[in-house]
Amino acid sequence: MKKFKLNKLPQEIVSQIAAGEVIERPASVVKELLDNSIDAGSTKIKIKVVNGGIDLIEVSDNGIGIPQESLSDIFKGHTTSKISSLEDLNTLLTMGFRGEALSTIVSVAKVSLISKYIEADTGAEIEFKSFDDFDIKSAARESGTVISVKNLFNNIPARRKFLKTAQTEYRRILNILYPYFLIYPNINFVLEKNRKEVMNLKNISNSKEKSLHKDRISEVLKGDFVQRMLKLFFNGAGIKISGFVGHPSDHQKRTSNQYIFVNGRPIWDSGIARAVVQGYERYIPFGEKVPFLISIEINPELIDVNVHPKKEEIRFLNPYRVYASVEEAVKKALVSVTSYHKENEPKNYLSKQPSFVSKEYSNKKSVQRDITFEKNRSSSVKDSLLFSKEILSEKNSEGLSFKQKESLRNETIRNIFQIFNKYIVIEFENDILWIVDQHAGAERITFEKLSKVNKNSIEKQQLLVPNEIQFSDEEIEALNDLKQFFKERGFEYDVKDNRIQIKSVPVEFVESDLKLLFDEIFSLSEHPSQLYKGIKKLKDDILATMSCHTSIRSGQRLHREEMLDLYNRLIECENPYSCPHGRPVVWRLKLSDIDSNFERTY
Ligand code: ADP
Ligand code: MG
């Protein structure tokens, strides 16, 4: 029989349990250490990460430092120099406030810290041999603090087991770091990965105020879209909003590059994200997203920061007031796009360009496409599916049989012409009429061509001037992985830092917006860097996306020869009847159907 026995848990175990809440993985250590360095008033912070932070995380700063006599106390639970009462908690503006981080970190890793307090003559070092066994000795240090955290969770195999690969943990660290990099342009951040400096962000502003600067943003996020972002501003109802939102032409499928800060603290609040999208109503296609960086300043008494142990979420006293302000700020920012657009709008603009020019085919740089809305995609798909009921019922999903193909080849065309600059009408001698969606047809042709790389050599075109495009770290990683994949399909590029230099593309892509093409490919996976891993499953999606960027598009006038060429290549496709996205390519009508529509019986 088991006997009743009450145990008092040793402090180390208590701290380790608490760590479960605060310190989950290397990224959480980085966050806590960074918070501390920032609270110490640092203007330069260096972060070193080895092996995804599992082997080493070291953060050094030039902040006020820690007096030698407090060195051991700061590692005890519930010690903090930041708050002393509950009232403080409510008006707290600093980052850390629970006095818990260091005590938990020291229970799950090997820690040492050197610091020189601003008012002291010499520095001191504390080194932990185990949870409660440490040495303190004097040490040289100019000013500020350096803390090193080694072998995370080495003493807790159950937790260590949950860590992912170094690469994944490193990416999570970046996810933590980026918001800080963005909101503190006044701090010089240096990042070292596996003993190699990978980022050195010079201080841009020397104001203490937390703010967003375009130069810093573009250094961190690296995309061309940053330059096109619109400035946000709102002041009212006790709320101040500043920051930047994406230009409507930069709408995206992913939720990447979205940042929210409240009183300088990176947080996430889906209500705010929704409010942004609402601000874009009718500026971007339904369901699409935009990049944004929103900084909200609000009286600290109107928020409760202590909701989340990792401080990633906060509670607003009146969330709807915040959401409404965000939406208004976004709408105001977008007005500048509209008025600019109107002033520059050619008089015959509307008659020139169909209002449903879809995202893929518009010129990114032109102002004209700013508020050119995409026709609601789902309804247009529904329409064409309805239209093509007949062809779908006839459609052989396996593709055409040899016999079917032969009979198609033998059909004689009586008439071929284009309507609305987007459909090709073909009248056959055997009383059949085809209406072909020219873009969908071109997509199908390219898709099959790209799918059969080994059987079919791709016709490449060398670019006289290599096309250079900038991407984020994650995207560059994906582009490195996919180099061979793209090469086999006619896309050749070199990767240099955060840019790729495109040297050749298949002839069909000479006029395509390649940045847009790659962006859409990246949006197929939540993490672009995972694309290559899922390549088996995603291959068709990637090829379909690529095919969508071929040169024959909706709205383009075609010559008779081009139409015939498209037709001839289409009937050689395994499945000429539907585009790679599953939309119909051909609507086939019999003369008898047309006749019966007019109630003709002869
Ligand atoms: P908290 O940040 O919530 O106060 P921590 O456990 O993170 O709790 O830190 C405990 C204390 O150690 C802080 O209140 C601060 O006084 C001191 N401290 C930690 N890191 C630094 C640093 N880099 N520079 C100066 N003081 C620091
Ligand atoms: Mg702290």
Side-chain angles (χ1 to χ4, degrees):
M1 243 268 256
K2 207 164 184 282
K3 285 225 180 76
F4 178 84
K5 185 170 174 279
L6 211 52
N7 290 317
K8 171 136 178 59
L9 293 173
Q11 184 55 39
E12 180 172 11
I13 305 282
V14 173
S15 295
Q16 285 173 350
I17 293 169
E21 244 189 276
V22 189
I23 305 297
E24 224 173 16
R25 50 185 1 110
S28 12
V29 175
V30 171
K31 182 180 167 66
E32 294 297 337
L33 301 185
L34 214 55
D35 279 348
N36 285 345
S37 292
I38 290 168
D39 283 346
S42 313
T43 55
K44 176 166 182 165
I45 301 176
K46 186 167 180 175
I47 305 114
K48 291 187 190 176
V49 174
V50 175
N51 191 28
I54 302 166
D55 292 358
L56 173 76
I57 295 166
E58 189 185 289
V59 174
S60 49
D61 65 49
N62 63 353
I64 60 162
I66 303 152
Q68 180 164 351
E69 63 271 21
S70 300
L71 272 192
S72 64
D73 286 344
I74 59 168
F75 288 98
K76 290 181 184 148
H78 313 292
T79 46
T80 174
S81 59
K82 295 166 195 172
I83 50 172
S84 55
S85 71
L86 206 61
E87 279 91 283
D88 283 355
L89 234 171
N90 291 331
T91 50
L92 198 80
L93 282 165
T94 51
M95 284 286 170
F97 42 79
R98 293 155 47 106
E100 232 173 23
L102 293 184
S103 64
T104 45
I105 291 171
V106 80
S107 75
V108 293
K110 196 158 181 318
V111 176
S112 66
L113 179 149
I114 306 173
S115 190
K116 184 182 139 342
Y117 183 48
I118 192 164
E119 288 177 5
D121 297 329
T122 54
E125 173 173 11
I126 180 165
E127 194 181 346
F128 283 84
K129 286 190 224 121
S130 67
F131 177 68
D132 41 17
D133 183 10
F134 55 81
D135 278 339
I136 295 185
K137 54 176 192 272
S138 23
R141 177 157 178 94
E142 265 179 27
S143 61
T145 306
V146 51
I147 175 163
S148 101
V149 175
K150 285 185 192 150
N151 302 334
L152 185 65
F153 297 141
N154 220 11
N155 55 345
I156 316 178
R159 305 222 93 227
R160 178 120 183 175
K161 210 168 60 190
F162 282 104
L163 295 183
K164 299 280 186 301
T165 62
Q167 193 52 30
T168 304
E169 295 300 340
Y170 178 72
R171 199 170 303 124
R172 287 186 166 144
I173 290 175
L174 287 185
N175 287 342
I176 290 290
L177 289 175
Y178 276 18
Y180 288 89
F181 290 174
L182 292 165
I183 196 73
Y184 290 102
N186 56 318
I187 298 178
N188 170 205
F189 289 101
V190 180
L191 176 62
E192 236 188 65
K193 178 190 179 189
N194 299 335
R195 313 273 174 213
K196 213 180 118 210
E197 186 176 299
V198 288
M199 257 186 174
N200 190 337
L201 306 165
K202 298 272 169 309
N203 356 14
I204 288 179
S205 79
N206 40 23
S207 97
K208 275 262 176 314
E209 206 178 307
K210 295 158 191 167
S211 61
L212 292 160
H213 267 250
K214 237 186 192 171
D215 291 347
R216 174 60 71 89
I217 299 172
S218 111
E219 226 182 323
V220 178
L221 302 184
K222 295 184 184 106
D224 294 333
F225 71 92
V226 178
Q227 292 314 324
R228 287 187 291 271
M229 286 188 117
L230 311 168
K231 210 173 158 81
L232 268 191
F233 189 76
F234 176 91
N235 192 357
I239 297 163
K240 226 165 116 179
I241 297 172
S242 58
F244 298 91
V245 287
H247 190 280
S249 62
D250 289 315
H251 62 84
Q252 55 189 34
K253 293 201 167 47
R254 277 184 292 150
T255 50
S256 55
N257 296 322
Q258 300 187 333
Y259 295 90
I260 305 170
F261 305 89
V262 173
N263 294 342
R265 181 177 290 121
I267 60 126
W268 184 250
D269 183 307
S270 44
I272 293 179
R274 239 175 296 142
V276 173
V277 171
Q278 263 157 32
Y280 275 88
E281 206 193 348
R282 299 208 317 279
Y283 277 83
I284 57 169
F286 183 75
E288 288 281 279
K289 294 158 186 106
V290 281
F292 61 74
L293 297 101
I294 293 183
S295 169
I296 300 174
E297 272 166 69
I298 184 168
N299 183 337
E301 300 204 339
L302 300 178
I303 49 175
D304 178 2
V305 258
N306 215 5
V307 180
H308 197 282
K310 283 183 278 149
K311 296 168 271 172
E312 282 152 2
E313 274 171 34
I314 58 173
R315 194 182 292 139
F316 295 103
L317 225 54
N318 186 345
Y320 293 98
R321 194 195 285 177
V322 178
Y323 301 159
S325 309
V326 169
E327 190 179 332
E328 198 182 321
V330 172
K331 282 187 168 145
K332 270 206 310 216
L334 287 169
V335 167
S336 63
V337 175
T338 324
S339 52
Y340 182 59
H341 165 84
K342 285 220 171 94
E343 278 161 31
N344 292 276
E345 184 181 74
K347 292 247 159 10
N348 58 352
Y349 167 67
L350 282 178
S351 59
K352 258 190 168 169
Q353 195 151 359
S355 62
F356 43 78
V357 176
S358 80
K359 184 183 166 194
E360 292 91 334
Y361 322 120
S362 311
N363 179 1
K364 266 254 157 170
K365 274 143 219 116
S366 97
V367 193
Q368 294 191 358
R369 69 163 304 226
D370 291 354
I371 53 164
T372 312
F373 311 123
E374 189 177 21
K375 190 181 171 193
N376 184 325
R377 204 174 256 181
S378 59
S379 86
S380 72
V381 170
K382 231 184 277 158
D383 285 355
S384 40
L385 282 178
L386 215 63
F387 277 148
S388 307
K389 224 172 167 179
E390 188 196 348
I391 202 66
L392 281 179
S393 62
E394 248 178 50
K395 187 183 97 181
N396 177 349
S397 61
E398 238 77 277
L400 295 184
S401 70
F402 183 73
K403 224 177 107 201
Q404 284 169 310
K405 217 169 253 178
E406 268 308 296
S407 83
L408 263 179
R409 284 192 194 113
N410 292 330
E411 285 314 335
T412 317
I413 292 176
R414 198 185 277 150
N415 253 313
I416 182 163
F417 56 91
Q418 191 186 26
I419 54 171
F420 306 119
N421 284 346
K422 80 179 156 156
Y423 300 111
I424 303 169
V425 179
I426 310 170
E427 179 198 351
F428 295 95
E429 300 234 302
N430 64 349
D431 291 346
I432 296 287
L433 184 83
W434 270 25
I435 301 175
V436 179
D437 178 327
Q438 64 189 44
H439 175 66
E443 267 185 281
R444 164 53 64 185
I445 293 166
T446 314
F447 177 79
E448 292 203 4
K449 195 166 160 183
L450 292 173
S451 313
K452 292 181 230 153
V453 270
N454 297 326
K455 293 182 218 155
N456 218 326
S457 74
I458 305 257
E459 207 184 322
K460 278 187 304 192
Q461 172 123 357
Q462 304 293 330
L463 303 181
L464 286 177
V465 183
N467 190 342
E468 245 195 39
I469 316 177
Q470 209 175 25
F471 291 99
S472 73
D473 291 339
E474 238 193 331
E475 291 163 346
I476 285 289
E477 201 182 319
L479 286 163
N480 258 324
D481 291 341
L482 293 167
K483 216 168 163 181
Q484 187 58 24
F485 175 87
F486 280 121
K487 192 177 165 188
E488 284 166 6
R489 286 158 183 87
F491 290 85
E492 280 188 279
Y493 53 78
D494 288 333
V495 181
K496 276 195 200 140
D497 299 326
N498 273 87
R499 302 189 155 267
I500 62 166
Q501 261 190 357
I502 303 175
K503 296 182 296 185
S504 79
V505 295
V507 282
E508 289 88 349
F509 291 84
V510 172
E511 285 175 46
S512 308
D513 181 334
L514 297 170
K515 165 78 174 149
L516 200 58
L517 184 149
F518 284 115
D519 278 349
E520 280 177 25
I521 291 175
F522 295 143
S523 70
L524 295 172
S525 164
E526 200 179 332
H527 301 289
S529 50
Q530 302 289 308
L531 262 180
Y532 191 65
K533 270 199 190 144
I535 192 82
K536 270 220 177 83
K537 255 182 29 211
L538 287 173
K539 191 178 140 211
D540 278 358
D541 289 339
I542 295 178
L543 297 183
T545 305
M546 288 165 76
S547 314
C548 200
H549 285 261
T550 45
S551 44
I552 293 186
R553 27 183 222 279
S554 174
Q556 183 179 331
R557 260 200 86 77
L558 296 179
H559 296 291
R560 191 184 146 86
E561 290 68 34
E562 293 173 304
M563 291 186 252
L564 283 170
D565 181 53
L566 188 123
Y567 168 76
N568 284 325
R569 290 197 286 154
L570 189 61
I571 60 167
E572 292 307 323
C573 284
E574 266 167 36
N575 185 355
Y577 290 134
S578 79
C579 85
H581 295 100
R583 290 190 297 272
V585 171
V586 181
W587 179 19
R588 182 176 176 274
L589 290 161
K590 291 188 210 128
L591 176 60
S592 57
D593 298 330
I594 301 175
D595 284 342
S596 74
N597 191 55
F598 292 102
E599 297 175 14
R600 259 179 189 279
T601 46
Y602 53 91

